[in-house]
Amino acid sequence: MTHSENMETKTYNTIPIAFAANHRFVPYFAACFQSLIDHCSNDYYYDVILLHTDVIQEDQVLLLNMAASRPNVSLRFCDVEPLIRSYKLRANGHISVETYFRFLIQEILPEYDKVLYLDCDLIINADVAELYYTDVEGYLLAAARDPEFLGHLNGADTKIQHYIVSELRMRKPENYFQAGVILFNEKEMRKEHTLEQWLTLASKPFLYNDQDVLNIYCEGRVRFLDMSWNLLTDCDHTRISHVISHAPEEIQKAYFAARNDPKIIHYAGYRKPWQKPTEDMADYFWSAMRCTPFYETALYNMSSFSAEEMYKSKSLFWRAGRRMKRFIQGRRKPNAI
């Protein structure tokens, strides 16, 4: 584990915060890290740990320099490859295997009984110390309910609804939470399952990966946070109209209230603001991104993504045109003699 040089003797109340990312995701973690720095209080010490397997030294140095002017913010890097190599961890869709690294916290950070875990595809808009001091005594974790999941549960997607009922089999699926922002009571998590047991459970196939695992095995021991601490954006400008609009009325009210004062903005989903700058609440992301040493990299990646999408679009139209041409030719009949 590599420590930043400013890991001096702590005279602050410490806030441990864990993230997980791969090399490809470093620029977007940087924007998240910048937003955290921008909202830190001088009253606390923020011990930030990035769990990874492949973040290169050059990028580590750039990230460390971002916090160089803040003596109460440190960044550490922990290569977790030795801990996960014997497990078959698979992720679905746009989600990467790093999503499972949150289970490792209880072993990697034995000095802490409580740790805040944050996904990297989010922007922090408030001091997370307020969130950290949420009382989780007697709970396994604290998290916000998932309005998208509850929209599906209420019929937005009947296939997902069937999966929820037949596969998850939660006693109260209406209490399903979103796992991108979690305050772990690691003292209780260690009692509940060993790291080996958690990773064995996570090795089973689930639609929403580790999020399903946590919801199944932590059910009944979750303290629910206000959705403003994990505000899901309107991914591709369809999440609200197509899914959240199906959620129960009280969930919709809580969601729209959170949109008025978001404390953490979460770009969960297949479309990200670094792919399309017109995404919902993308201005928060780009405001933070501009202050990082990875801004030009993010711009380059976005242009590459746009070019790839354009190529796919042109290929789609070309294939459609070819099929139409063959269809028309097939319908033509030879002239009668």
Side-chain angles (χ1 to χ4, degrees), residues 174-232:
E174 63 273 16
N175 285 332
Y176 189 98
F177 59 85
Q178 217 286 338
V181 176
I182 295 182
L183 180 60
F184 280 113
N185 182 344
E186 293 295 357
K187 184 178 180 180
E188 293 298 318
M189 290 289 285
R190 294 180 188 111
K191 293 178 183 178
E192 191 73 9
H193 291 298
T194 64
L195 174 59
E196 182 180 1
Q197 289 171 332
W198 279 120
L199 291 180
T200 300
L201 292 171
S203 299
K204 299 175 183 178
F206 287 102
L207 180 61
Y208 295 114
N209 308 296
D210 60 306
Q211 183 169 275
D212 283 352
V213 174
L214 287 166
N215 270 279
I216 293 170
Y217 295 101
C218 296
E219 186 176 16
R221 298 189 64 188
V222 177
R223 176 162 187 176
F224 294 103
L225 301 172
D226 188 272
M227 283 187 197
S228 61
W229 284 112
N230 187 1
L231 177 70
L232 299 185

Side-chain angles (χ1 to χ4, degrees), residues 327-336:
F327 174 76
I328 293 173
Q329 289 175 339
R331 288 178 62 88
R332 289 177 180 167
K333 297 179 181 180
N335 294 328

Side-chain angles (χ1 to χ4, degrees), residues 228-243:
S228 61
W229 284 112
N230 187 1
L231 177 70
L232 299 185
T233 58
D234 188 16
C235 181
D236 210 18
H237 298 284
T238 59
R239 175 178 278 147
I240 292 176
S241 59
H242 289 40
V243 184

Side-chain angles (χ1 to χ4, degrees), residues 110-228:
E111 68 270 33
Y112 292 121
D113 286 339
K114 187 164 70 168
V115 176
L116 178 60
Y117 170 84
L118 300 175
D119 277 352
C120 292
D121 59 343
L122 49 79
I123 290 295
I124 296 163
N125 202 37
D127 184 4
V128 295
E130 179 186 348
L131 171 58
Y132 181 76
Y133 282 105
T134 300
D135 184 7
V136 289
E137 186 67 29
Y139 298 96
L140 288 171
L141 59 85
R145 287 184 175 87
D146 188 335
E148 181 175 41
F149 179 94
L150 297 179
H152 288 311
L153 178 62
N154 239 22
D157 187 318
T158 54
K159 289 183 179 179
I160 297 179
Q161 184 183 44
H162 176 74
Y163 166 79
I164 295 169
V165 174
S166 62
E167 299 295 330
L168 292 190
R169 298 180 181 179
M170 293 176 63
R171 295 187 300 275
K172 294 184 176 181
E174 63 273 16
N175 285 332
Y176 189 98
F177 59 85
Q178 217 286 338
V181 176
I182 295 182
L183 180 60
F184 280 113
N185 182 344
E186 293 295 357
K187 184 178 180 180
E188 293 298 318
M189 290 289 285
R190 294 180 188 111
K191 293 178 183 178
E192 191 73 9
H193 291 298
T194 64
L195 174 59
E196 182 180 1
Q197 289 171 332
W198 279 120
L199 291 180
T200 300
L201 292 171
S203 299
K204 299 175 183 178
F206 287 102
L207 180 61
Y208 295 114
N209 308 296
D210 60 306
Q211 183 169 275
D212 283 352
V213 174
L214 287 166
N215 270 279
I216 293 170
Y217 295 101
C218 296
E219 186 176 16
R221 298 189 64 188
V222 177
R223 176 162 187 176
F224 294 103
L225 301 172
D226 188 272
M227 283 187 197
S228 61

Side-chain angles (χ1 to χ4, degrees), residues 96-121:
S96 68
V97 72
E98 282 75 20
T99 190
Y100 295 102
F101 291 1
R102 70 195 75 195
F103 290 116
L104 308 178
I105 297 171
Q106 67 185 54
E107 184 159 318
I108 290 173
L109 301 174
E111 68 270 33
Y112 292 121
D113 286 339
K114 187 164 70 168
V115 176
L116 178 60
Y117 170 84
L118 300 175
D119 277 352
C120 292
D121 59 343

